[in-house]
């Protein structure tokens, strides 16, 4: 299990939530909001400021990657609730994900595509659109709150302590 499991269990049992960490960015009065192509992931949650090579194989996801490259718009990455769903709809997807830049693509012989992305910022879906070949999402970028209270510092110390313990006991990460 992840080194953070205990921390998240403590937050859940204490009635707390992580929603205090992120808030929507101030919105601009835009009559025509931008719809970004999105690519749902079956198993992977993305973290902003992190590069990762997901393997894309569904036709809608391939179209979303190609549209992102053609329009130079960021790709919205989100995770689906049920990894066995082949055609996820709006209710099957988590509402918070990551805006990412497509850095590199590589077509595989079986028709899938390996995509190297770099996360830019977390975002929350305002609405999904399934018109056209590539689905799109209108999103609101999320910005971290600059909280500096005792509860936040305590949670940061607890998370760091659990991670340091994980590094000491695990052979997966070099100290």
């Amino acid at each position: 299990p992840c080194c953070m499991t205990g921390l998240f269990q403590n937050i859940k049992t204490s009635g707390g939530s992580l929603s205090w960490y992120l808030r929507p960015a101030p919105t601009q009065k835009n009559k025509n909001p931008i719809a970004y192509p999105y690519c749902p992931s079956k198993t992977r949650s993305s973290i902003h400021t992190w590069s990762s090579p997901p393997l894309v194989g569904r036709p809608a996801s391939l179209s979303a990657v190609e549209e992102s490259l053609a329009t130079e718009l960021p790709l919205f990455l989100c995770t689906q609730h049920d990894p066995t769903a082949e055609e996820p709809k709006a209710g099957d997807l988590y509402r918070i994900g990551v805006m990412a830049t497509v850095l590199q693509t590589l077509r595989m012989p079986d028709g899938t595509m390996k995509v190297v992305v770099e996360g830019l910022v977390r975002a929350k879906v305002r609405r999904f659109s399934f018109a056209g070949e590539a689905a799109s999402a209108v999103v609101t970028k999320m910005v971290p709150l600059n909280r500096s209270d005792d509860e936040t510092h305590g949670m940061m110390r607890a998370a760091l302590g659990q991670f340091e313990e994980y590094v000491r006991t695990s052979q997966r990460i070099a100290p």
Side-chain angles (χ1 to χ4, degrees), residues 25-41:
T27 58
Q28 298 176 351
K29 300 286 183 186
N30 188 356
K31 293 182 181 179
N32 298 319
I34 298 172
Y36 297 95
Y38 80 88
C39 182
S41 172

Side-chain angles (χ1 to χ4, degrees), residues 6 18 55 76 85 104 114 121 148:
L18 294 175
L55 196 60
F76 179 69
Q104 186 178 15
K114 186 177 273 193
V121 65
S148 182

Side-chain angles (χ1 to χ4, degrees), residues 1 12 23 62 72 75 88 99 114 126 138 153 157 172:
K12 285 180 184 177
R23 66 175 164 79
L62 290 168
E72 296 183 4
L75 182 66
M99 300 298 296
K114 186 177 273 193
R126 289 177 36 206
V138 175
H153 287 287
R157 283 191 306 276
R172 294 182 180 202

Side-chain angles (χ1 to χ4, degrees), residues 1 4 11 26-27 35 42 57 59 73 90 98 102 104 107 125 132 137 143 147 153 158-159 163 165 172-173:
M4 304 307 286
I11 291 170
T27 58
K42 291 183 177 188
L73 284 173
V98 175
V102 177
Q104 186 178 15
R107 283 268 183 195
V125 174
V143 294
R147 284 182 55 156
H153 287 287
F163 182 71
E165 180 181 335
R172 294 182 180 202
I173 300 175

Side-chain angles (χ1 to χ4, degrees), residues 58-147:
R58 293 184 275 206
S61 297
L62 290 168
S63 296
V65 171
E66 290 167 356
E67 183 180 337
S68 176
L69 288 169
T71 60
E72 296 183 4
L73 284 173
L75 182 66
F76 179 69
L77 303 171
C78 59
T79 307
Q80 54 189 79
H81 294 284
D82 180 11
T84 61
E86 284 300 317
E87 300 283 333
K89 300 295 180 203
D92 300 327
L93 303 171
Y94 286 100
R95 306 297 283 187
I96 294 182
V98 175
M99 300 298 296
T101 301
V102 177
L103 299 176
Q104 186 178 15
T105 61
L106 176 64
R107 283 268 183 195
M108 305 303 279
D110 63 356
T112 60
M113 182 186 297
K114 186 177 273 193
V115 182
V116 178
V117 296
E118 180 179 20
L120 301 172
V121 65
R122 297 191 90 179
K124 183 176 184 178
V125 174
R126 289 177 36 206
R127 73 175 177 269
F128 286 106
S129 171
F130 296 98
E133 192 167 320
S136 60
V138 175
V139 301
T140 301
K141 294 176 183 172
M142 307 292 285
V143 294
L145 293 174
N146 292 325
R147 284 182 55 156

